[in-house]
Amino acid sequence: MIPDFQTIMLPLLKTFQDGEEKTSKELREKMVSYFNISIDEQKEKIPSGKQPLYYNRVAWAIAYLKMADLISSPLRAVYKITEEGKKVLENPPEKITINFLKQFDSFSKNRNPEKDTELDDNNQIVEKTPDELIEIGYKQVKNELSLQILNQIKDCSPYFFEKLVLDLLIKMGYGGSEMANGEVTPKGSDEGIDGIIKEDKLGLDKIYIQAKKWENCVGRPEIQKFVGALQGKRAKKGIFITMSTFSKEALEYAENLDVAVILIDGKKLANYMIENELGVSLKQNYKIYNVDTDYFIEE
């Protein structure tokens, strides 16, 4: 298990007991060895997938020790222990935590003065790095938005749901992203097909759609009926979308067909709507910056 960044801080500081300077790479390697972080764990990413989780946590452990002036950086990506850091190691605590670092004036000065202090008193939250907290917050907002979207869909008519599904697929790039290439089939004449998307101008290649505004789980029999409707159209591509879920049998059945049938449940539907900005609007946009270390390199 990859340790949280607070657990990393004391062992990291102790690596400087030899008095030598250490690079970021050396510190990461020492923490991998100290905590026996496996190869698979080293591949584990933060929620955005942009950086290894252990890499991120070691980086934040370094950052917090620097904030408290327990270590310093004489060169880019090179660190050494300070006199204050040496004093800490003379009588080290069981663990270096955020609360432990608060005793150092430099830590309070270097931290963001607008940071919510309540976060520090919640151990489950403090164990996460700021990058992880941002992504956790984003996921919570997105999950809540997904629930709101599905609740809105519940209040819509089945016909509007069919139109919504077509709008989404067009937004996703099907039909050349042109609304004219998608149509909702007339009521009573769909024969198990709710919508059609033309993938070429002449309509020689089509995607057939079934949209079920159900709250109950969709089982295998419904997928079999849809496949029968596709065969009646001699179609090779179909998309079955519901605002609920699919049974295990339905999912397994769809995976072993000669025709391509894609199943999209309510969770995926809401996420696709958010990703393609359908039925949602931008509330707030935050920019997160990194230091451009190349800028500070002197020729």
Side-chain angles (χ1 to χ4, degrees):
M1 181 177 177
I2 300 174
D4 61 83
F5 78 97
Q6 292 188 105
T7 301
I8 291 173
M9 285 195 283
L10 181 57
L12 192 146
L13 185 63
K14 286 182 176 180
T15 63
F16 292 98
Q17 286 178 320
D18 59 8
E20 300 294 325
E21 294 180 350
K22 305 284 189 304
T23 65
S24 298
K25 182 180 179 181
E26 288 173 328
L27 291 172
R28 288 195 298 271
E29 290 173 349
K30 287 182 178 293
M31 292 302 97
V32 166
S33 176
Y34 182 86
F35 289 105
N36 294 316
I37 300 175
S38 68
I39 298 297
D40 288 339
E41 288 172 333
Q42 290 176 50
K43 294 177 181 178
E44 187 177 342
K45 305 286 187 179
I46 60 176
S48 68
K50 294 181 179 180
Q51 191 180 60
L53 179 59
Y54 88 95
Y55 187 113
N56 182 267
R57 290 184 176 176
V58 171
W60 278 107
I62 292 171
Y64 275 98
L65 291 175
K66 276 190 66 181
M67 287 182 200
D69 284 342
L70 300 186
I71 61 174
S72 63
S73 181
L75 297 171
R76 184 166 67 91
V78 176
Y79 304 94
K80 68 177 184 179
I81 194 167
T82 64
E83 292 302 317
E84 197 67 60
K86 292 176 182 178
K87 291 179 183 177
V88 170
L89 291 183
E90 289 175 1
N91 186 25
E94 291 185 5
K95 179 180 180 180
I96 293 181
T97 64
I98 297 293
N99 285 331
F100 176 83
L101 295 178
K102 286 180 180 179
Q103 65 182 289
F104 303 102
D105 293 338
S106 55
F107 182 71
S108 298
K109 292 177 183 178
N110 290 328
R111 289 187 80 198
N112 181 357
E114 297 180 359
K115 187 175 178 62
D116 188 351
T117 55
E118 288 183 2
L119 294 179
D120 294 343
D121 297 326
N122 186 329
N123 291 332
Q124 291 183 333
I125 294 179
V126 168
E127 289 178 355
K128 305 295 183 182
T129 69
D131 285 339
E132 291 175 277
L133 289 175
I134 289 171
E135 299 208 34
I136 289 170
Y138 172 75
K139 278 191 170 183
Q140 289 176 339
V141 170
K142 188 176 180 181
N143 288 339
E144 179 61 29
L145 179 58
S146 295
L147 292 174
Q148 292 177 7
I149 289 173
L150 292 176
N151 284 331
Q152 287 284 357
I153 292 175
K154 287 180 183 178
D155 296 331
C156 299
S157 68
Y159 183 79
F160 183 89
F161 181 60
E162 293 168 6
K163 180 179 179 300
L164 179 154
V165 164
L166 276 176
D167 288 346
L168 174 61
L169 294 173
I170 294 294
K171 275 248 185 186
M172 292 174 70
Y174 295 97
S177 297
E178 295 184 13
M179 290 298 179
N181 287 332
E183 63 174 295
V184 176
T185 57
K187 294 181 179 179
S189 61
D190 59 7
E191 298 178 351
I193 303 298
D194 294 320
I196 303 170
I197 292 179
K198 300 174 184 178
E199 291 202 276
D200 59 88
K201 291 184 179 180
L202 296 178
L204 297 174
D205 195 6
K206 299 177 181 179
I207 300 174
Y208 292 85
I209 302 157
Q210 176 84 170
K212 289 294 185 185
K213 185 179 171 287
W214 288 0
E215 294 186 42
N216 295 328
C217 180
V218 177
R220 173 171 171 163
E222 289 302 319
I223 308 303
Q224 288 176 312
K225 290 178 186 177
F226 180 51
V227 171
L230 293 177
Q231 291 173 341
K233 300 287 185 181
R234 295 185 178 179
K236 297 180 180 179
K237 300 176 184 178
I239 301 176
F240 195 116
I241 300 183
T242 179
M243 61 173 291
S244 61
T245 59
F246 294 99
S247 70
K248 180 181 177 182
E249 292 75 17
L251 293 169
E252 291 175 347
Y253 175 72
E255 288 179 356
N256 298 292
L257 294 171
D258 293 332
V259 294
V261 176
I262 304 300
L263 305 184
I264 299 177
D265 60 18
K267 183 177 180 180
K268 288 182 180 178
L269 172 62
N271 285 335
Y272 286 144
M273 289 179 67
I274 295 169
E275 291 169 8
N276 293 276
E277 299 183 353
L278 179 66
V280 297
S281 58
L282 182 64
K283 179 180 180 181
Q284 184 65 53
N285 189 20
Y286 296 95
K287 292 184 178 181
I288 308 298
Y289 294 95
N290 284 324
V291 173
D292 182 3
T293 54
D294 290 340
Y295 173 81
F296 295 96
I297 297 177
E298 299 185 41
E299 300 294 337

